[in-house]
Amino acid sequence: MQTYSALQLLRRAFGGHQSWEPLWRQPALKPAYDVVIIGGGGHGLATAYYLAKEHGITNVAVLEKGWIGGGNTGRNTTIIRSNYLFDESAALYDHAVKLWDDLSQALNYNVMYSARGVMMLAHTVHDVQSAKRHIHANRLNGVDNEWLDPEACKAFCPELNISDNIRYPIMGGALQRRGGTARHDAVAWGYARAADAMGVDIIQNCEVTAIRRDATGAIEAVETTKGTVKTRKVGVVAAGHTSVVMSMADVRMPLESYPLQALVSEPVKPTFTCVVMSNTIHAYISQSDKGELVIGAGTDAYTSYSQRGALHITEHTLDAICELFPMFRRMRMLRNWGGIVDVTPDRSPILSKTAVPGLFVNCGWGTGGFKATPGSGNVFAHTIATGEPHRINAPFTLDRFRDGTLIDEAAAAAVAH
Amino acid sequence: MLIIRCPICGDRPELEFRYGGEGHVARPAATEALDDQTVADRLYMRTNPKGLTVERWRHVHGCGRFFNAVRDTVSDFFVTTYKAGEPRPDLDALKKEAVR
């Protein structure tokens, strides 16, 4: 693999930058693999990367229906944080935050991780109590999180309107300084490039049409639009389409797929140096390195695979943005789009083996999966390689819905549900 | 915004309605004798299909009544709506009709 460095940049500059190689190969689908990953988004590519890197399993195919990172990886608002309430979630998301820290170095690819701080606003007495409860729980779990009064919120984010004559005045905020953003496309490309270099085959434009099982019920092969692949292990990392893929193996999932919208403004000069979220009035916002304000809206009220969403959902979010940040009132919005998110009943993900031998599933990240990409891939790779869950993802089983050991982050998992 | 046909009130905007999840998920009889998996199946497991789905809606800012609908989850097109208690329509027949 060609490495990236200042020296390389200089050297290739003499050739007019004509000599850079493609980031990954375009291999043909082989007839058999040790592991097949269905879904070439951030989580799937990270899984393949850690399978090769930490478990020495390189005979892996990542099958992607469209192009890699073209689903929710390329559609999210790139917020990274780990201030979840329960011990299980804090461990899982903080595992990811720790991996984010030196991910650019590990992949030799700049994922532009920027720990600029994520501030979650409180607008009601209940918000304040809930935020403080989270802060205490986080600190006990070694996750940084601190309480700011309205003036401190304003000092951290000068654009914020903390006057008390707005509909939902700001009563304070919880700040996780290690939270921030990363460049979503770079995450997919960085993992793809590093996995490819270790021998993983990334097959794009390859849709899975069937999952075949042998007489004992175990996974035998996967049928795709590019032919049949024999394999004994399949990892399904298909986000909003997980129910569809799992139904090919006759497994019913506790998932509902909803459209989740986001939008960006016209690009402007750097002005907004942090990430601000408000769960109560439903807005979250940051500024990308291109200068666009990146704004996240909510899910639609009904399940859908339409990859768009209703206008009144984004309107509702923009109402909140205009009230919290009056300086943005005249900004024009450039684009809005929708992605399909798979929501579980307890709003916690599923990283689990299944009743079908050889079939593993990583799904249910709902409206907030991007932040977990490295951690999710890391522990899911462990689960596939060893057949047993990693200590961190052991609570996130599919069986918890039968056993009643839910990880009920509905109140904690930010917005939209 | 969707226009949804309430079987009692007629066409109304989406904002008047509340989504009620998958339709025809029947509560099993003799719940005290059920095993955990059966309870979990009813409470949590969902078909979540890509294509025609049968679902419940409630006209919460109108007549207040629950009803069922058949909707295409790819286009969000409502194929039909019908009153609660009426039998589940044959989706295969509806699909053929949609093609025609």
Side-chain angles (χ1 to χ4, degrees), chain A residues 352-375:
Chain A
S352 177
K353 47 183 185 176
T354 64
V356 178
L359 182 65
F360 301 84
V361 65
N362 177 353
C363 66
W365 292 95
T367 61
F370 176 74
K371 64 173 85 72
T373 305

Side-chain angles (χ1 to χ4, degrees), chain A residues 23 31 81 126 149 154 199 211 266 281 286 331 352 355 359 369:
Chain A
L23 294 193
R81 61 187 176 86
H126 174 79
D149 62 20
K154 176 89 176 167
I211 297 175
E266 56 193 334
I281 60 174
S286 63
M331 294 272 293
S352 177
L359 182 65

Side-chain angles (χ1 to χ4, degrees), chain A residues 77-80 112-116 179-183 275 286 370:
Chain A
T77 51
T78 76
I79 297 171
I80 293 165
M112 297 161 86
Y113 170 53
S114 153
R116 59 183 70 176
T181 62
R183 172 99 174 101
V275 181
S286 63
F370 176 74

Side-chain angles (χ1 to χ4, degrees), chain A residues 65 240-241 243-244 252-258 301-306 308 310 312 345 398 401-402 406, chain B residues 1-2 14-15 19 21-22 36-37 40-41 44-50 53 55 57 71 73-76:
Chain A
K65 178 173 67 171
H241 283 70
S243 297
V244 177
R252 270 169 75 84
M253 297 297 291
L255 293 173
E256 290 184 307
S257 297
Y258 291 91
Y302 47 84
T303 63
S304 177
Y305 289 84
S306 64
R308 43 182 193 250
H312 66 268
L398 190 52
F401 298 97
R402 182 197 63 205
L406 304 186
Chain B
M1 189 173 302
L2 304 177
E14 175 191 337
L15 285 184
Y19 182 63
E22 187 171 329
D36 290 350
Q37 191 59 53
D41 287 348
Y44 300 126
M45 300 302 163
R46 294 292 176 260
T47 313
N48 196 23
K50 185 174 186 175
T53 184
E55 60 193 11
W57 286 82
R71 181 174 55 95
T73 57
V74 178
S75 63
D76 290 338

Side-chain angles (χ1 to χ4, degrees), chain A residues 321-382:
Chain A
I321 296 288
C322 290
E323 185 141 292
L324 291 176
F325 308 101
M327 68 179 285
F328 294 146
R329 278 188 183 168
R330 291 194 178 188
M331 294 272 293
R332 278 162 296 191
M333 295 300 140
L334 268 193
R335 292 177 287 128
N336 74 323
W337 62 90
I340 303 304
V341 299
D342 43 331
V343 176
T344 56
D346 62 355
R347 274 59 175 166
S348 286
I350 298 166
L351 291 134
S352 177
K353 47 183 185 176
T354 64
V356 178
L359 182 65
F360 301 84
V361 65
N362 177 353
C363 66
W365 292 95
T367 61
F370 176 74
K371 64 173 85 72
T373 305
S376 155
N378 187 267
V379 296
F380 193 51
H382 178 100

Side-chain angles (χ1 to χ4, degrees), chain A residues 297-318:
Chain A
T299 56
D300 274 7
Y302 47 84
T303 63
S304 177
Y305 289 84
S306 64
Q307 288 198 333
R308 43 182 193 250
L311 189 61
H312 66 268
I313 305 284
T314 42
E315 230 180 81
H316 178 69
T317 291
L318 289 172

